[in-house]
Amino acid sequence: MAATTTAQHRRPTFVQVAIALQTSAIFFQAVTAGLLLSTSHGEVLHGVGARVMYGASMLYVLAAVLAWRPGGGSPRPILYSSGFLVLASVQVVLGIAHIPSLHVPLGVLMFGLSVLVLGQVSSPHWSARSGTGS
């Protein structure tokens, strides 16, 4: 007897969208950091991107809390999202203080961690592990 499997197309969850937005915003920051060195409007774009990135980090915290409360899933994503918000806060302070020797490596670390988390929550097995499946 052959088992029939069908691919289910699921809409992305709020957590997945929030992490994707955060990852995109951090990548945008890397691009505008390069523009800082070559154009006059790079500083404006980097400043706007910083606000968007910080807002995306706050959105990730909100998404993690909302995903945890109704579904009774693990609170671990709240810890991860709060950690990102702390890193984003440190990043903003370092940027305002013009300390590129710490600001740039922290940005690279944040991008890598955000891509890692995005990959984890985008995997097909994530929704089954986290208890947020439909």
Side-chain angles (χ1 to χ4, degrees), residues 7-130:
Q8 292 181 354
H9 297 286
R10 297 177 189 245
R11 293 186 348 214
T13 65
F14 186 30
V15 172
Q16 291 170 327
V17 170
I19 295 170
L21 177 63
Q22 174 183 275
T23 305
S24 299
I26 295 171
F27 181 73
F28 179 78
Q29 286 303 90
V31 171
T32 60
L35 290 175
L36 276 169
L37 303 173
S38 60
T39 66
S40 59
H41 60 276
E43 186 174 354
V44 172
L45 289 172
H46 197 68
V48 169
R51 288 165 179 81
V52 172
M53 184 273 305
Y54 198 77
S57 295
M58 288 190 279
L59 185 68
Y60 178 26
V61 172
L62 176 66
V65 169
L66 291 176
W68 169 67
R69 288 301 290 167
S74 170
R76 185 172 293 169
I78 297 171
L79 178 65
Y80 293 159
S81 63
S82 298
F84 270 108
L85 188 57
V86 168
L87 290 176
S89 299
V90 171
Q91 187 71 333
V92 168
V93 169
L94 291 172
I96 290 171
H98 299 286
I99 306 174
S101 60
L102 297 175
H103 182 74
V104 172
L106 181 58
V108 171
L109 174 68
M110 288 176 65
F111 180 69
L113 290 173
S114 195
V115 168
L116 182 66
V117 172
L118 180 61
Q120 287 176 342
V121 302
S122 298
S123 75
H125 303 290
W126 180 74
S127 59
R129 287 192 314 259
S130 67

